[in-house]
Amino acid sequence: MVKAVAAFLTAIERELGADAIEPSVEAVERYGDTTMPSGGRRVDAVLLPRSVTDVVTTVRLANEYQVGLYPVSAGHNLGLGTRSPVRDGQIVIDLGRRMNRILELNEELGYAVVEPGVTFQALHDELVRRGDKFMISATSGPPLGSVLGNALDKGAGYSPYFDHFGTLCGFEAVLGNGSTIRTGDGSLDNDTLPNWPVSKYTIGPILDGLFAQSNCGIIVRAAIWLMPRPPVIRTFHATFERDTDISAIIDAIRPLKLTNFVPTLFRVANDLYAIGPEERAENLGRRPGAREITAEERRLLREKHGLGAWQASAAFYAGSEGDIAPMLARVSSHFLNKGAVRIIDHAQAQLIPSLLIASDAFSGRPSTAELRLLSWRPGGGAIWFLPGTPMSGRTAAELDVLARGLFAQHGFDYIIMHVAGGRFARSLYLILFDRRSAEECRRADACYRALTSAYATRGIGVGRAAIDYHGLHMDLQMPAFQQAVLAVKRALDPNGVIAPGKYGIG
Ligand SMILES: Cc1cc2nc3c(=O)[nH]c(=O)nc-3n(C[C@H](O)[C@H](O)[C@H](O)COP(=O)(O)OP(=O)(O)OC[C@H]3O[C@@H](n4cnc5c(N)ncnc54)[C@H](O)[C@@H]3O)c2cc1C
């Protein structure tokens, strides 16, 4: 351990107490574990603050001793870096372990004020305990992920409150320079702030965005808006037979979302994304040395699960079954006219595990089921590639051919889900590989870089990136943007103590 780190930890122990430092060497090492092709990172220590005051002290000491702090709220950023810093030799500040209280739950105005360690599961459980009147916007990722951490990384769900950063309102942030600010209507110099959790726009610039995917400060609390739970939620699922149907699916969804006739986003999952959690590639009885799945193996899996090359899923919310019935009839005939081969209703979907995942997501119920997708291939390697497409069937189809070709060229199974709105769909590609094989790691890395370059050539970047590729993506941004981001970083964190290198900044 370098001298500065040792001296810093001695100062932390003196000011915060020995229990503010994770004692287990093995536990500290695990914070550096990732699912990335490059392997793990060296983490020098893990800190466990108990309060905002502890965080302020930690940042002050980090400036004094010039050490890098990497904040995590729950550290379940699976396929994007888990809880590991971008670079070796940083100190993880695990906010979630001891700062995990729901500070306020306001059922009149529909918001919760949370500390970083409040998980999706914990907030859901508390809402259920209080009578299930409000629902969280669930992800289909880890229920033990942090509501705040996910939102700060621009995570998303599937309900009308899908934009998690957008549903945060009013932060308290400890800046890299050691000062503490409140944003939104919390920035008034007063101790009583009734509008802080309900109004984002106060006088002056909106500073909240400085904390999305950034390294300017550490967020210690925020409000998140909650949607009243509708009395009845009914999902519907349209399956399509051919890979090329993606064009028709995107064009079919667009008018349903532009008018908000359908209130949720659409999950448009290909066969392997939908079926992957229920199957293992190694159980397909494949020839030795086989790489990606064959067309015939995919066909057999689809047949076994009663699913298609694509499945488009969404949900209606209403007061009663009767209110929903005509809407379901209308979308069913809409999709059948656009080439769907099967409409699966809510009741049938409850019996199909892959569609149950969608149903839980639209209903704000956390679930671990989709995490089984990570075991489709052995060896634990996973990278999300997260570009997107305008909601134009022709463009989506062109990008599908492009990405499908690059996955095949690099020998990986094509696993993709589009999360579609009216104008834009985020495309979630998952590269699964065997981390125990150096050759597969090289191929996975090459595949990611080839996808990045092919999309960037077409003017398409990503919405979120795995830690191996933060620098790669920032380097693709226009120089003036990079300079502006760096100038902000230097102004708010002059010694560069917060997560150096995160998102290619500092
Ligand atoms: C199968 C599968 C499905 C998934 N589905 C989804 C999905 O539907 N939607 C989705 O969004 N994600 C999904 N994920 C990705 C990911 O697992 C989740 O987004 C997860 O919630 C992120 O981890 P976390 O919430 O614990 O955040 P953390 O790991 O705690 O933090 C995430 C990032 O934010 C920064 N950060 C965290 N807290 C702070 C803070 N207090 N101050 C400053 N910076 C901070 C961290 O440095 C880190 O970069 C999925 C993953 C898998 C494997």
Side-chain angles (χ1 to χ4, degrees):
M1 193 183 295
V2 286
K3 234 162 108 195
V5 172
F8 168 76
L9 291 176
T10 306
I12 288 281
E13 188 171 340
R14 188 177 62 239
E15 298 211 23
L16 304 189
D19 62 351
I21 304 171
E22 166 59 56
S24 154
V25 175
E26 294 76 36
V28 171
E29 273 171 15
R30 280 200 299 276
Y31 276 78
D33 274 354
T34 73
T35 61
M36 298 292 109
S38 64
R41 307 289 193 272
R42 196 192 81 239
V43 169
D44 279 346
V46 174
L47 303 183
L48 310 168
R50 230 178 339 226
S51 64
V52 178
T53 313
D54 281 3
V55 175
V56 171
T57 305
T58 303
V59 171
R60 174 174 54 76
L61 292 173
N63 274 285
E64 200 175 317
Y65 292 90
Q66 303 278 299
V67 299
L69 297 173
Y70 188 81
V72 298
S73 283
H76 282 83
N77 215 2
L78 308 178
L80 292 162
T82 318
R83 70 200 73 174
S84 167
V86 177
R87 294 192 190 137
D88 280 333
Q90 296 184 15
I91 293 174
V92 174
I93 172 161
D94 184 343
L95 299 146
R97 193 97 71 90
R98 299 201 292 178
M99 294 175 70
N100 50 24
R101 289 171 305 160
I102 300 171
L103 298 172
E104 184 190 352
L105 226 170
N106 189 311
E107 293 184 277
E108 185 184 18
L109 297 167
Y111 68 80
V113 179
V114 293
E115 289 189 320
V118 174
T119 63
F120 290 98
Q121 189 70 55
L123 186 54
H124 169 73
D125 291 351
E126 180 57 18
L127 291 167
V128 170
R129 195 184 68 75
R130 290 172 177 237
D132 219 7
K133 294 191 283 292
F134 285 86
M135 67 183 217
I136 60 164
S137 168
T139 72
S140 48
L144 295 183
S146 154
V147 170
L148 193 49
N150 172 277
L152 292 174
D153 208 32
K154 300 187 197 157
Y158 306 91
S159 79
Y161 284 37
F162 69 90
D163 172 5
H164 292 173
F165 190 80
T167 52
L168 292 181
C169 182
F171 302 157
E172 184 170 8
V174 180
L175 303 179
N177 65 16
S179 65
T180 303
I181 63 164
R182 296 186 300 257
T183 66
D185 264 318
S187 56
L188 199 70
D189 197 8
N190 195 314
D191 289 340
T192 312
L193 297 162
N195 283 338
W196 190 17
V198 291
S199 158
K200 293 174 194 231
Y201 298 164
T202 189
I203 189 165
I206 302 166
L207 298 188
D208 302 43
L210 294 177
F211 304 105
Q213 288 186 357
S214 85
N215 51 6
C216 292
I218 298 176
I219 304 297
V220 286
R221 65 173 259 170
I224 182 129
W225 291 342
L226 302 168
M227 190 177 113
R229 177 171 288 286
V232 180
I233 300 174
R234 289 292 173 267
T235 59
F236 59 90
H237 313 262
T239 72
F240 290 76
E241 203 58 17
R242 299 166 307 175
D243 293 337
T244 50
D245 286 334
I246 189 62
S247 172
I249 297 169
I250 294 291
D251 286 337
I253 290 172
R254 188 178 56 249
L256 300 176
K257 281 306 304 168
L258 281 177
T259 55
N260 256 343
F261 178 67
V262 174
T264 64
L265 296 183
F266 274 81
R267 288 168 56 101
V268 184
N270 84 335
D271 45 13
L272 287 190
Y273 197 105
I275 295 166
E278 301 311 307
E279 297 281 353
R280 296 284 168 276
E282 71 254 43
N283 294 342
L284 298 179
R286 315 174 69 194
R287 63 201 149 80
R291 301 208 307 186
E292 74 274 21
I293 190 170
T294 64
E296 179 58 7
E297 287 166 338
R298 280 178 60 206
R299 193 188 63 73
L300 289 173
L301 280 180
R302 292 201 291 263
E303 208 171 273
K304 176 175 168 192
H305 291 267
L307 294 176
W310 296 100
Q311 8 289 317
S313 303
F316 283 114
Y317 301 142
S320 70
E321 290 266 6
D323 291 342
I324 289 180
M327 299 191 273
L328 281 175
R330 193 169 144 197
V331 287
S332 299
S333 65
H334 177 71
F335 279 113
L336 289 169
N337 285 335
K338 303 288 182 193
V341 288
R342 186 180 171 203
I343 303 292
I344 301 173
D345 69 18
H346 186 75
Q348 292 168 308
Q350 304 306 298
L351 307 173
I352 303 174
S354 48
L355 300 186
L356 189 55
I357 292 172
S359 185
D360 283 334
F362 294 127
S363 309
R365 307 272 184 216
S367 156
T368 55
E370 193 165 289
L371 296 180
R372 295 198 295 264
L373 185 51
L374 296 178
S375 310
W376 161 254
R377 293 266 290 111
I383 324 170
W384 289 107
F385 174 61
L386 304 169
T389 173
M391 284 296 287
S392 138
R394 195 162 46 90
T395 309
E398 279 167 16
L399 293 172
D400 189 63
V401 169
L402 175 77
R404 208 177 276 278
L406 287 171
F407 269 74
Q409 189 185 321
H410 291 87
F412 291 110
D413 292 328
Y414 190 61
I415 302 177
I416 158 86
M417 178 167 74
H418 298 281
V419 184
R423 295 180 180 83
F424 175 73
R426 177 66 65 210
S427 310
L428 319 180
Y429 292 95
L430 189 55
I431 305 172
L432 292 178
F433 60 99
D434 190 340
R435 256 190 321 162
R436 299 162 303 186
S437 152
E439 188 273 330
E440 274 204 38
C441 287
R442 267 195 304 278
R443 254 194 298 130
D445 179 65
C447 183
Y448 187 95
R449 288 174 190 279
L451 286 162
T452 300
S453 153
Y455 270 77
T457 304
R458 285 159 181 78
I460 299 176
V462 295
R464 208 171 160 187
I467 54 170
D468 277 14
Y469 307 104
H470 281 191
L472 172 72
H473 288 292
M474 186 51 81
D475 286 348
L476 290 168
Q477 302 294 94
M478 64 194 292
F481 178 87
Q482 295 184 41
Q483 285 152 19
V485 165
L486 197 57
V488 172
K489 166 76 173 166
R490 288 196 178 128
L492 300 183
D493 183 14
N495 292 318
V497 297
I498 309 291
K502 189 175 163 195
Y503 274 98
I505 309 165

